[in-house]
Amino acid sequence: GAGVSQSPSNKVTEKGKDVELRCDPISGHTALYWYRQSLGQGLEFLIYFQGNSAPDKSGLPSDRFSAERTGGSVSTLTIQRTQQEDSAVYLCASSFQQGRGYGYTFGSGTRLTVV
Amino acid sequence: GESVGLHLPTLSVQEGDNSIINCAYSNSASDYFIWYKQESGKGPQFIIDIRSNMDKRQGQRVTVLLNKTVKHLSLQIAATQPGDSAVYFCAENNAGNMLTFGGGTRLMVKP
């Protein structure tokens, strides 16, 4: 597609349920990033995929969070046993190369609300 | 915590005036910087970038200034318009492969 596509755009879930958030990066972009943005806050790095290399998971806040990227394209962020503090906008971005010297293209995000 | 920027301050300007949004960074190894604009309900969008071998770069109505001596980055918007109302993030690329984002500044344009 022409841009980074994220789905769903909005998700309301009950506390304790698992959720999956999907990201379709720009075709040909080898790097993919997940960020979290709480209301009125900045961007919190979660995880980074580059090609076939092992992902950088250093930003994941707990072991309830995981992500995978299949075939070097689509990525899924999974949050298990959701908590109210997980409520945020989850943003995905992709870039053509590794981050150095290249900007990211962001999707519109998935707004997650845990009730 | 973030090495770039401050915690979401708000800048209010009159339509037609010039806006200046500031960002401080702490990593002297950073050699590439980007400004992003995030409108409500959307993801951040690239505005302009600058590499550390430059101290100024101009785009359409926007100028980015880089002062490496004091590790300071600014975004200047000329003749600010209502459509410029958004949150603006600076980001740095240092020795790693990823961008580090600042906390953002909310720009409000008064008609």
Side-chain angles (χ1 to χ4, degrees):
Chain A
V4 177
S5 178
Q6 292 189 245
S7 60
S9 55
N10 282 284
K11 175 72 175 178
V12 180
T13 190
E14 292 181 350
K15 178 182 174 181
K17 299 286 189 181
D18 297 352
V19 294
E20 286 189 350
L21 312 180
R22 177 185 169 104
C23 173
D24 274 287
I26 292 174
S27 178
H29 278 194
T30 59
L32 186 147
Y33 314 82
W34 283 98
Y35 285 82
R36 179 168 71 175
Q37 186 175 31
S38 299
L39 185 63
Q41 302 295 311
L43 301 170
E44 176 189 4
F45 166 73
L46 296 177
I47 189 169
Y48 157 54
F49 296 89
Q50 172 58 45
N52 295 321
S53 302
D56 178 346
K57 305 178 181 180
S58 60
L60 295 178
S62 77
D63 58 9
R64 295 187 295 105
F65 288 73
S66 63
E68 63 178 19
R69 188 178 184 192
T70 54
S73 181
V74 172
S75 177
T76 302
L77 177 69
T78 301
I79 308 173
Q80 295 178 309
R81 305 180 302 282
T82 52
Q83 304 295 313
Q84 288 185 327
E85 60 263 29
D86 299 334
S87 296
V89 174
Y90 289 82
L91 289 163
C92 175
S94 68
S95 68
F96 182 64
Q97 295 283 357
Q98 292 183 347
R100 192 171 191 84
Y102 293 90
Y104 301 170
T105 301
F106 281 89
S108 294
T110 293
R111 181 176 298 278
L112 176 66
T113 304
V114 182
V115 297
Chain B
E2 298 288 347
S3 67
V4 177
L6 302 173
H7 186 72
L8 204 56
T10 298
L11 175 66
S12 184
V13 299
Q14 200 71 38
E15 180 179 357
D17 288 350
N18 296 334
S19 303
I20 300 176
I21 300 171
N22 296 304
C23 180
Y25 65 96
S26 59
N27 193 332
S28 58
S30 295
D31 60 1
Y32 178 63
F33 303 86
I34 306 175
W35 281 100
Y36 283 89
K37 173 185 180 183
Q38 186 177 26
E39 296 176 279
S40 180
K42 298 182 180 180
Q45 291 184 302
F46 174 94
I47 302 174
I48 191 168
D49 60 1
I50 188 168
R51 300 187 186 275
S52 59
N53 60 351
M54 303 171 67
D55 53 18
K56 179 179 181 179
R57 189 166 188 217
Q58 289 184 296
Q60 186 176 13
R61 284 201 307 116
V62 294
T63 300
V64 55
L65 299 178
L66 176 62
N67 186 330
K68 295 181 287 295
T69 301
V70 295
K71 295 196 283 291
H72 184 268
L73 190 68
S74 68
L75 177 70
Q76 300 179 0
I77 304 174
T80 312
Q81 303 170 359
D84 296 326
S85 295
V87 176
Y88 290 81
F89 292 97
C90 62
E92 65 176 321
N93 185 196
N94 50 37
N97 292 327
M98 295 178 295
L99 297 176
T100 299
F101 287 86
T105 296
R106 183 178 304 279
L107 177 64
M108 299 177 63
V109 182
K110 297 178 289 186

